[in-house]
Amino acid sequence: MSLRFRLNMLITLLFALILLAGSFYVINNAKTAVKEEMQSVSKLTLQLIEIALMSNTASSTSETQQSVLESIANLESTRHLEIELYKTGNKGSMVPVKIIPTIDAQAPEWFIRMVKPQPVEYRRVFRESLTAYTEILIRANPSDEITEVLNESRGVLGLLVLFAVLANILVYISLGRGLAPIESILKGLDGIEQGEYQRRLPRFKYPEFSRISEK
């Protein structure tokens, strides 16, 4: 195994480790970003709904408040969120079974498994000024956010891969040029072995090889 090949393999291994560490960093950041975005959007939505209901309670009737809740329940699917309204006429428990949202992100399955957060749900039960017990369930769906972070991560990882490939090619070419004088030195040593004592080596660009040439 040649010295050039060994050095190139060592550098390739180093680039592979850098690429692996960079990939872990990018994916971990993507996971954190998805988690924080889901929690932030869900909390903010719940707070805005509570503010709207409190405003209606102070200035209007329970029918108006009920109308607000039903309007919220009839909303079409919103970005990052699934909002549902539950009502019951008795005072029993009306908390629905926790449902894990279906993730339909435009991303590979392995990426979804690595970055998807734990299910995020926020519930708010309204018992005052309403004709029926009402509960709002806000469930975060990270599908859109996962698609976004995939596009961002793909660019960063693509740059890392491109850098590793180009740097490896550059190192391989540089090593080839840098170690090229060794062949001339070997030919000179072969000439000495065969009695060609007047043979001279050329001067090389690198000082280490030039010193060998002079000796």
Side-chain angles (χ1 to χ4, degrees), residues 23-84:
S23 300
F24 175 80
Y25 176 79
V26 169
I27 291 176
N28 186 63
N29 277 1
K31 182 176 181 178
T32 302
V34 172
K35 178 181 177 181
E36 291 179 351
E37 180 71 12
M38 293 300 96
Q39 292 178 342
S40 175
V41 170
S42 301
K43 286 182 179 179
L44 177 60
T45 302
L46 180 60
Q47 290 172 357
L48 291 176
I49 290 174
E50 289 181 342
I51 291 173
L53 292 175
M54 289 173 61
S55 300
N56 279 285
T57 301
S59 60
S60 187
T61 63
S62 61
E63 287 77 11
T64 304
Q65 191 175 7
Q66 185 74 12
S67 176
V68 171
L69 291 174
E70 291 178 353
S71 298
I72 293 172
N74 292 329
L75 286 175
E76 296 181 358
S77 58
T78 58
R79 180 176 171 82
H80 298 332
L81 294 175
E82 297 174 3
I83 303 176
E84 298 176 7

Side-chain angles (χ1 to χ4, degrees), residues 84-140:
E84 298 176 7
L85 180 68
Y86 295 88
K87 294 188 293 185
T88 180
N90 55 49
K91 297 183 179 181
S93 175
M94 59 180 174
V95 178
V97 178
K98 190 170 186 178
I99 302 174
I100 299 177
T102 302
I103 299 177
D104 55 356
Q106 298 178 1
E109 188 63 29
W110 63 267
F111 187 83
I112 294 176
R113 287 198 303 268
M114 295 186 72
V115 304
K116 70 177 181 180
Q118 294 295 323
V120 178
E121 281 188 4
Y122 291 99
R123 303 167 187 267
R124 177 69 162 88
V125 178
F126 302 95
R127 292 193 173 95
E128 298 179 0
S129 302
L130 295 177
T131 57
Y133 281 53
T134 304
E135 178 180 9
I136 286 183
L137 171 62
I138 299 175
R139 182 187 301 115

Side-chain angles (χ1 to χ4, degrees), residues 12 94 143 155 174:
T12 300
M94 59 180 174
S143 298
S174 299

Side-chain angles (χ1 to χ4, degrees), residues 182-211:
I182 293 179
E183 187 66 26
S184 299
I185 294 172
L186 290 176
K187 289 181 179 179
L189 292 176
D190 288 339
I192 292 176
E193 184 180 19
Q194 297 172 8
E196 300 176 5
Y197 301 117
Q198 300 303 317
R199 187 168 182 171
R200 295 292 181 266
L201 293 176
R203 295 186 63 84
F204 299 111
K205 181 171 63 174
Y206 301 106
E208 294 82 1
F209 290 134
S210 292
R211 290 176 60 189

